[in-house]
Amino acid sequence: MVTRQVYADNNATTKVDELVVQEMLPYFSKYYGNPSSMHVFGGQVEKKLVEARERMAAMLNAEPTEIIFTSCGTESDNMAIYSAITSAPQKRHVITTKVEHPAVLNYCKQLAKRGYGVTYLSVDRDGMVDVNEFYDSIRDDTAIASIMYANNETGTILPVGELGTIAREKGVLFHTDAVQVAGKIPLDLQKLDAIDMLSISGHKLHAPKGIGVLYVRRGTKFRPLLIGGHQERGRRPGTENTASIIAIGKAAELAQTHLEDELTRVKALRDRMEQELLARIPDAVVNGHPTQRTPNTLNISFKYVEGEAILLMLSERGIAASSGSACTSGSLEPSHVLRAMGVPFTYSHGSLRLSLSRFNTEEDVEYILQELPPIIERLREISPFGRNKEEPQ
Ligand code: PLP
């Protein structure tokens, strides 16, 4: 009997905040004008788009003109790299990391097939890049470095401020995929003044799926991916997804209100979960940086068990988690992130990602702590490679 439901998969997607829903709903059937239209129907909507852009800019401490609304985080990532390489066609090299989301990683793989040089920076056991390796990888023909702000699987926060400064000194554009940090840590693009472009996705921020943002610093050369009309000042043509833009604007405003809660209460819940699981379950290790980590994320590996089996049993008990990024689940290959971190095979197969949000409670964590240890114990009993049994080759 499932007694409760706990959603602990917030790095995959988040619940849309009720206040966000309320804000966007009238913009489907009551205020449905095209914001480009000169009449009152258009004006009503245009005014709200201006507000949404201001709200998003405020969350980032940026200018409203630096905000481009896109269809998702993936589009923002693709757009940033596309713009950089198209603006400087003579530059044929890009730098990224081995642990990026497929939105960056697979884009770079495509570029490599087209003859671009791509450097994939390695990471250490905590998922951290080496600043010196980054420095050494920059070439005269490097068009852009695209380095994620925080990893979706482990939550490790990379030193993008420092890397951006190095890139700026060397005349290289710097983009960061900030999809997993927006709303979780402060983002101040006046302070992070060497970041030229930054991606955000609505559905990780308690806004709907299918809306994203690309921040482009004023003065950055920009070439659009889509060619069409004048929307987003020609940088992202296509009639605006008005309700969702209004939604992500509201979500950005709420994110600022709730930031303190993420940094304190949500972090305390995550920390408690981490400490208790490590104390109660032998042969468990945390994947991710001990301190430089998003406050909501715990990626933990249990030796001798399969992540998919843990997920199934958790799911039967009403607990939603993930065994890697949502995009790679379904494949039994250990995640590319854990492999890049050098997590041993016997651990990487038994990895579990628990990711919280402001909607999680102490009771949720208690329930996870009650249910998870016996699941691991049970799975180890039935595993041919359980403790004190033969090690897999
Ligand atoms: N980048 C990161 C780090 C992500 O976690 C995700 C989503 O999982 C994306 C990009 C893609 O965002 P979207 O689903 O909006 O395309």
Side-chain angles (χ1 to χ4, degrees):
M1 249 296 277
V2 174
T3 52
R4 57 181 296 141
Q5 286 219 310
V6 173
Y7 186 74
D9 199 14
N10 286 278
N11 285 10
T13 200
T14 58
K15 167 188 158 86
V16 181
D17 193 302
E18 288 300 336
L19 295 173
V20 169
V21 177
Q22 274 173 34
E23 187 94 3
M24 76 187 290
L25 277 184
Y27 293 85
F28 286 105
S29 52
K30 191 165 180 203
Y31 305 115
Y32 50 83
N34 185 325
S36 300
S37 301
M38 297 300 284
H39 46 64
V40 67
F41 288 77
Q44 286 162 337
V45 181
E46 171 60 15
K47 169 169 112 227
K48 284 296 282 185
L49 293 196
V50 169
E51 182 188 61
R53 203 179 301 283
E54 285 169 355
R55 285 172 165 174
M56 181 50 71
M59 184 184 88
L60 299 175
N61 197 12
E63 298 294 324
T65 51
E66 295 175 316
I67 304 299
I68 304 176
F69 291 113
T70 67
S71 70
C72 58
T74 300
E75 185 188 337
S76 303
D77 286 344
N78 280 212
M79 234 163 100
I81 302 172
Y82 174 87
S83 170
I85 57 171
T86 326
S87 304
Q90 73 288 4
K91 295 191 172 180
R92 305 276 298 173
H93 176 237
V94 300
I95 302 171
T96 188
T97 75
K98 289 183 180 166
V99 294
E100 296 296 313
H101 186 272
V104 168
L105 205 54
N106 288 343
Y107 195 86
C108 289
K109 284 185 187 162
Q110 281 295 322
L111 289 181
K113 282 189 190 149
R114 285 165 43 197
Y116 280 82
V118 181
T119 301
Y120 301 94
L121 300 176
S122 52
V123 294
D124 65 15
R125 187 66 179 80
D126 294 332
M128 192 55 80
V129 289
D130 178 352
V131 175
N132 293 323
E133 188 189 347
F134 176 67
Y135 186 91
D136 292 341
S137 70
I138 297 176
R139 307 192 328 205
D140 290 342
D141 66 341
T142 307
I144 185 169
S146 179
I147 314 279
M148 71 195 328
Y149 206 135
N151 185 266
N152 41 308
E153 294 189 31
T154 62
T156 295
I157 297 174
L158 304 183
V160 289
E162 197 183 345
L163 300 176
T165 304
I166 295 171
R168 173 73 52 86
E169 278 165 16
K170 298 260 203 164
V172 170
L173 280 177
F174 192 85
H175 163 253
T176 187
D177 174 337
V179 165
Q180 291 292 342
V181 294
K184 294 175 190 162
I185 63 171
L187 275 178
D188 182 338
L189 285 160
Q190 298 297 324
K191 287 197 185 130
L192 292 166
D193 59 0
I195 289 180
D196 300 302
M197 292 183 274
L198 176 143
S199 306
I200 288 179
S201 170
H203 72 106
K204 316 285 180 172
L205 190 62
H206 304 291
K209 295 153 189 68
I211 181 73
V213 163
L214 180 66
Y215 158 88
V216 180
R217 187 174 296 278
R218 197 195 323 183
T220 308
K221 270 194 191 163
F222 192 81
R223 294 281 180 282
L225 184 61
L226 297 187
I227 305 298
H230 62 279
Q231 293 92 350
E232 300 300 291
R233 305 161 106 223
R235 294 173 299 178
R236 203 288 184 176
T239 302
E240 296 87 341
N241 180 357
T242 51
S244 292
I245 291 174
I246 291 163
I248 201 173
K250 183 67 183 173
E253 185 189 69
L254 291 172
Q256 282 180 287
T257 319
H258 292 285
L259 186 58
E260 199 48 38
D261 182 53
E262 291 275 346
L263 294 168
T264 54
R265 191 188 61 87
V266 175
K267 180 175 184 301
L269 289 179
R270 190 278 312 269
D271 287 348
R272 173 164 157 68
M273 196 162 66
E274 176 171 330
Q275 285 150 16
E276 287 295 322
L277 290 176
L278 288 175
R280 295 184 198 183
I281 305 174
D283 292 315
V285 291
V286 172
N287 303 309
H289 197 278
T291 55
Q292 297 301 106
R293 191 157 26 114
T294 45
N296 73 321
T297 305
L298 172 61
N299 187 313
I300 186 165
S301 279
F302 305 104
K303 209 174 175 184
Y304 313 116
V305 288
E306 283 285 344
E308 280 65 26
I310 310 174
L311 285 189
L312 273 174
M313 291 180 76
L314 282 175
S315 181
E316 279 168 6
R317 288 158 180 77
I319 299 170
S322 167
S323 69
S325 77
C327 314
T328 54
S329 67
S331 131
L332 282 175
E333 275 289 290
S335 100
H336 71 287
V337 175
L338 300 184
R339 268 187 288 154
M341 288 163 64
V343 178
F345 180 87
T346 42
Y347 275 106
S348 59
H349 271 269
S351 87
L352 178 72
R353 181 185 70 185
L354 294 156
S355 49
L356 306 177
S357 82
R358 63 176 183 253
F359 293 108
N360 286 113
T361 62
E362 219 162 289
E363 290 72 35
D364 289 345
V365 167
E366 282 312 315
Y367 186 61
I368 292 171
L369 291 175
Q370 173 193 304
E371 298 299 324
L372 185 52
I375 288 177
I376 303 296
E377 206 177 312
R378 173 81 191 110
L379 286 172
R380 281 178 176 167
E381 275 165 19
I382 59 177
S383 160
F385 304 116
R387 299 181 84 210
N388 310 321
K389 296 179 193 167
E390 198 186 330
E391 291 269 334
Q393 296 308 303

